[in-house]
Amino acid sequence: MPFSHYVFDAYGTLFDVHAAVRRHVAEMGPESQFFSDLWRAKQLEYSWVRTLMGAYQDFWALTEQALDHTFARVPSADRSLRQKLLDAYWTLDCYPEVPNVLRSLKASGARIAILSNGSPAMLASAVRSAALDDIIDDVFSVDAIGRFKTDPGVYDLVTTQWRLYPDAVSFQSSNRWDVAGATKFGFRTVWINRANMPDEYFDLKPTLILPDLNGLSGS
């Protein structure tokens, strides 16, 4: 069944969350991959815990806090790189296939949006840096409701704004937990399994699993 409304998670799906550390890998040293993985893991952990507590802070604040925790956990990392890493996070590289796939979907007449934990400023910067601003029709940030994914209210931002039933939306994310939340909400979901991870959340299966965005336009 062809879809005319495609919604994409941003970080890890369109934009490479490890690009910031990779740009400074020579300065970071041998623990650079562990550093990047931990930074990302804590960033997400903070989003889930703060939603459960009802103590919202925007994603940029959590990104900074997660980075500071990571420096504390990895003493070999040069703390003087802190600002460079934060600056790099505003202009993360998009994955190579992203522009062409999104342009193809757009050319087919589809509406394209981002639905992300990111703050509006972070997302605007990432979209502009990747030259996707002429493709993306709408950018939905959790800032609008003060709760992070997988709160159902996040996914409802799309259906309310677009005045659609959930099953009219194709939602793509590289995060399996995000796909589970979107599936529970009623979206048609596509797991972009870039890391070739084993499946989980077996009661909330995606409609489709792809290694990257290629092939999405024909799905």
Side-chain angles (χ1 to χ4, degrees), residues 40-182:
R40 173 62 170 170
K42 297 305 290 188
Q43 180 193 51
L44 293 175
E45 177 190 325
Y46 293 168
S47 74
W48 299 326
V49 171
R50 286 195 167 273
T51 295
L52 288 168
M53 290 192 300
Y56 182 78
Q57 291 185 344
D58 75 22
F59 204 56
W60 183 245
L62 303 191
T63 299
E64 291 184 295
Q65 292 165 22
L67 180 58
D68 289 336
H69 174 84
T70 303
F71 272 119
R73 288 275 301 276
V74 187
S76 63
D78 184 354
R79 283 180 175 269
S80 70
L81 292 171
R82 182 182 188 275
Q83 192 57 50
K84 289 183 178 180
L85 292 173
L86 289 173
D87 290 345
Y89 215 93
W90 287 84
T91 57
L92 293 174
D93 302 329
C94 70
Y95 289 99
E97 82 280 6
V98 167
N100 285 341
V101 171
L102 266 57
R103 288 187 187 281
S104 176
L105 292 172
K106 182 83 168 180
S108 74
R111 195 170 184 178
I112 310 295
I114 286 173
L115 175 64
S116 174
N117 280 342
S119 71
M122 290 175 71
L123 295 169
S125 178
V127 168
R128 184 171 57 252
S129 175
L132 300 177
D133 37 354
D134 63 330
I135 308 174
I136 305 295
D137 295 299
D138 293 290
V139 177
F140 299 99
S141 166
V142 301
D143 248 23
I145 62 168
R147 300 189 299 276
F148 291 103
K149 297 175 180 177
T150 57
D151 188 289
V154 174
Y155 307 105
D156 190 51
L157 288 169
V158 174
T159 52
T160 297
Q161 179 67 30
W162 281 358
R163 297 181 180 275
L164 294 171
Y165 289 110
D167 60 5
V169 175
S170 180
F171 178 78
Q172 290 65 228
S173 179
S174 64
N175 302 298
R176 185 62 180 92
W177 49 269
D178 190 13
V179 169

